[in-house]
Amino acid sequence: MSPISLSEMEAVKLMNRLDTKYVTSMAHVRQVLLLAANQYFVQEIGGERIAAYDTLYYDTPALAMYIEHHNRRLVRQKVRIRRYIGSQSNLSESGDLTFLEIKNKNNRGRTKKKRIEVINQAVLASPSDEVSAFMKKRCRYSCEQLLPQLRTVFRRITLVSKQKNERLTVDFALHWSNIHTGREVQLEPLVIIELKRDGLTYSPMADILRQLRIKPMKISKYCIGTALTNPDVKQNRFKQKIRKIQRILTDENT
């Protein structure tokens, strides 16, 4: 695929977007990428086309944001601090670009994300004035109400349509670590594909996935990771999704 740089990606931020997710296995990814090769650019940073992400999700001690998602509340929020491994930053203590991100979903299915760069993934424990002001303006919870709950590490390929009205992420090598239970789960063959576009613009990738019989599936890395690593949490409505994931992994192994 032809590359697209990070600076060129600025025109395709899609911070107020419509997301559609698909779940498949690594066995199908090569075919997906081959069919998309002529219609998408691939993001390249420092000569690398596969990026590593380290995300720390925050929630209340009672997991209020997780429970809202589980109970199918349409208007909901997530708070995370994501480290973009390998993306250079002069602010971050690790040297990797790190953002505090607030994701809001409205009752029309649109996702709106706001973020600020921070020095590390522990800034909510002792927030600066800038972080406190950001949280006060953007988040329904104060820093004092939130604790780190789940770490999610994965690798990502990012594609951009040649019309630059759609982004596509391919996430794989998923690894969850629960801060409180100490449990870890790795689902190496699992792949989460997400289409991110402004409204219902035409998507060549949606056609490709339909052709390969890869169907849309609503999934949250935070919620699935929490359900898989915390046996005591409420998870009745996620059990069917977990069974589907297990079937995908079984098919991969056979």
Side-chain angles (χ1 to χ4, degrees), residues 94-109:
S94 67
D96 296 321
L97 197 60
T98 305
F99 285 100
L100 166 60
E101 302 179 342
I102 310 289
K103 290 183 68 178
N104 289 284
K105 179 157 279 190
N106 66 24
N107 57 7
R108 296 181 297 279

Side-chain angles (χ1 to χ4, degrees), residues 201-231:
T201 56
Y202 170 69
S203 167
M205 182 57 67
D207 282 351
I208 290 169
L209 295 172
R210 193 178 302 113
Q211 175 186 338
L212 297 175
R213 298 183 180 179
I214 299 172
K215 298 179 180 179
M217 177 178 170
K218 294 181 179 179
I219 186 170
S220 159
K221 293 188 193 72
Y222 172 56
C223 291
I224 290 298
T226 299
L228 289 172
T229 59
N230 187 346

Side-chain angles (χ1 to χ4, degrees), residues 56-66 68 77-81 100-103 121-127 131-132 134-136 138-150 179-180 222:
L56 185 62
Y57 287 93
Y58 281 76
D59 208 333
T60 68
L63 301 178
M65 285 180 269
Y66 168 88
E68 284 182 350
Q77 190 171 77
K78 287 195 175 70
V79 178
R80 70 189 186 195
I81 300 182
L100 166 60
E101 302 179 342
I102 310 289
K103 290 183 68 178
Q121 290 180 310
V123 292
L124 296 190
S126 182
V131 168
S132 294
F134 176 80
M135 290 291 288
K136 186 175 181 180
R138 302 294 181 186
C139 188
R140 294 182 309 189
Y141 303 93
S142 67
C143 296
E144 294 76 18
Q145 291 176 291
L146 300 176
L147 294 173
Q149 298 289 350
L150 186 77
I179 306 302
H180 296 289
Y222 172 56

Side-chain angles (χ1 to χ4, degrees), residues 9-238:
M9 285 282 292
E10 290 297 309
V12 205
K13 280 185 176 179
L14 304 182
M15 301 297 274
N16 184 11
R17 68 196 188 217
L18 188 65
D19 299 344
T20 309
K21 294 180 182 178
Y22 301 78
V23 177
T24 185
S25 68
M26 286 298 292
H28 295 103
V29 169
R30 179 176 173 82
Q31 192 173 9
V32 168
L33 295 177
L34 284 171
L35 291 171
N38 294 326
Q39 301 181 76
Y40 288 84
F41 298 108
V42 59
Q43 179 178 285
E44 183 175 288
I45 302 174
E48 297 291 334
R49 297 186 173 196
I50 298 177
Y53 290 70
D54 178 350
T55 304
L56 185 62
Y57 287 93
Y58 281 76
D59 208 333
T60 68
L63 301 178
M65 285 180 269
Y66 168 88
I67 296 298
E68 284 182 350
H69 196 140
H70 177 277
N71 292 346
R72 298 178 181 174
R73 178 172 176 175
L74 297 178
V75 180
R76 56 183 186 263
Q77 190 171 77
K78 287 195 175 70
V79 178
R80 70 189 186 195
I81 300 182
R82 174 166 286 177
R83 186 161 66 96
Y84 296 78
I85 301 172
S87 294
Q88 298 297 312
S89 168
N90 294 323
L91 175 64
S92 172
E93 293 175 349
S94 67
D96 296 321
L97 197 60
T98 305
F99 285 100
L100 166 60
E101 302 179 342
I102 310 289
K103 290 183 68 178
N104 289 284
K105 179 157 279 190
N106 66 24
N107 57 7
R108 296 181 297 279
R110 276 192 170 269
T111 299
K112 191 172 184 178
K113 182 171 73 174
K114 295 293 182 181
R115 66 184 190 178
I116 58 168
E117 190 176 355
V118 294
I119 61 171
N120 58 43
Q121 290 180 310
V123 292
L124 296 190
S126 182
S128 65
D129 291 343
E130 183 184 14
V131 168
S132 294
F134 176 80
M135 290 291 288
K136 186 175 181 180
K137 183 177 180 180
R138 302 294 181 186
C139 188
R140 294 182 309 189
Y141 303 93
S142 67
C143 296
E144 294 76 18
Q145 291 176 291
L146 300 176
L147 294 173
Q149 298 289 350
L150 186 77
R151 169 163 269 116
T152 305
V153 178
F154 60 93
R155 303 182 77 195
R156 169 174 286 183
I157 298 168
T158 300
L159 307 183
V160 180
S161 67
K162 292 194 171 179
Q163 291 71 36
K164 295 187 178 180
N165 59 4
E166 175 190 36
R167 279 198 293 118
L168 164 72
T169 56
V170 181
D171 295 345
F172 59 99
L174 288 149
H175 181 186
W176 289 281
S177 304
N178 195 293
I179 306 302
H180 296 289
T181 68
R183 296 196 178 197
E184 297 189 15
V185 171
Q186 297 186 55
L187 297 180
E188 293 286 338
L190 189 72
V191 178
I192 299 175
I193 298 173
E194 185 171 3
L195 304 184
K196 306 172 185 184
R197 46 186 167 154
D198 280 324
L200 296 174
T201 56
Y202 170 69
S203 167
M205 182 57 67
D207 282 351
I208 290 169
L209 295 172
R210 193 178 302 113
Q211 175 186 338
L212 297 175
R213 298 183 180 179
I214 299 172
K215 298 179 180 179
M217 177 178 170
K218 294 181 179 179
I219 186 170
S220 159
K221 293 188 193 72
Y222 172 56
C223 291
I224 290 298
T226 299
L228 289 172
T229 59
N230 187 346
D232 297 324
V233 76
K234 183 179 181 181
Q235 54 183 273
N236 294 340
R237 287 181 172 165
F238 294 137

